[in-house]
């Protein structure tokens, strides 16, 4: 299911008892939350192996584009 950044962080915090996979790598909840700040929207799937987190809409840094 796709979530905005604040809602994704709430989902990650609520499911700390499960394993969290961020882009295919096992991460702790704090690493998953810091990953969430790099995206406007994230896809979070609750599966048998744990919580799978993927970024869908990245944050664009306009300062670096110049």
């Amino acid at each position: 299911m796709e979530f905005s950044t604040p809602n994704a962080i709430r989902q990650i915090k609520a499911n700390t008892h499960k394993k969290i996979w961020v882009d295919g790598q096992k991460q702790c909840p704090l690493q998953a939350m810091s990953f969430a700040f790099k995206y406007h929207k994230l896809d979070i799937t609750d599966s048998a192996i744990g919580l799978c987190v993927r970024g869908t809409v990245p944050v664009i840094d306009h300062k670096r584009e110049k």
Side-chain angles (χ1 to χ4, degrees), residues 1-39:
M1 181 178 266
E2 192 166 272
F3 294 97
S4 64
T5 302
N7 290 333
I9 291 173
R10 286 185 194 104
Q11 289 292 321
I12 292 168
K13 285 172 64 174
N15 292 309
T16 57
H17 64 281
K18 295 182 179 181
K19 295 179 184 174
I20 298 176
W21 299 88
V22 178
D23 285 339
Q25 297 179 354
K26 186 177 172 185
Q27 303 286 326
C28 72
L30 184 59
Q31 290 171 320
M33 286 186 272
S34 66
F35 172 82
F37 282 114
K38 297 178 184 176
Y39 292 90

Side-chain angles (χ1 to χ4, degrees), residues 46-62:
D46 193 11
S47 65
I49 62 169
L51 201 64
C52 298
V53 180
R54 284 190 340 221
T56 56
V57 180
V59 172
I60 299 171
D61 187 5
H62 293 289

